[in-house]
Amino acid sequence: QVQLVESGGGVVQPGGSLRLSCVASGLSFEIYVLSWFRQVPGMERELVAHIGTAGDATNYAHSVQGRFTISRDNTENAVYLQMNSLKPEDTASYYCHAATDYGLPRDLWGQGTQVTVSS
């Protein structure tokens, strides 16, 4: 079955940390550019971070720069988002996304994991 499965969300106090994981199955993981998006109800889904196929090219939204780190392990078919110094405005559903121009499916979304930052 082709799927992305996220985990690691939860409730954390401001200033705390969480590590999100996304494990892929059923696809050639190494050819996919991987991204984390987040969405708050009533708002558009926004890009948080993405990472190239070899893991050597990363990009971040300005709002998370210096606090979040995206990484991938192609041997484990996994992508991670380490989130430090969390703020209440980081509260959202976080989604893993995979995209490629070189195979099928062209892109794929996970089901999402909820992150709540609250005291």
Side-chain angles (χ1 to χ4, degrees), residues 8-73:
V11 180
V12 63
Q13 292 188 340
S17 298
L18 282 175
R19 187 190 193 214
L20 305 184
S21 300
C22 173
V23 177
S25 59
L27 50 78
S28 298
F29 187 76
E30 65 277 5
I31 68 172
Y32 285 83
V33 173
L34 302 168
S35 305
W36 286 97
F37 286 74
R38 66 186 181 187
Q39 189 170 25
V40 175
M43 304 290 287
E44 289 192 2
R45 195 169 290 189
E46 66 167 342
L47 177 66
V48 174
H50 71 256
I51 187 167
T53 55
D56 55 350
T58 58
N59 205 354
Y60 297 90
H62 179 74
S63 59
V64 307
Q65 188 86 38
R67 299 187 298 122
F68 290 10
T69 303
I70 188 170
S71 61
R72 67 187 292 166
D73 185 340

Side-chain angles (χ1 to χ4, degrees), residues 97-110:
H97 180 255
T100 185
D101 291 332
Y102 304 108
L104 294 174
R106 285 281 190 255
D107 76 308
L108 188 65
W109 289 93

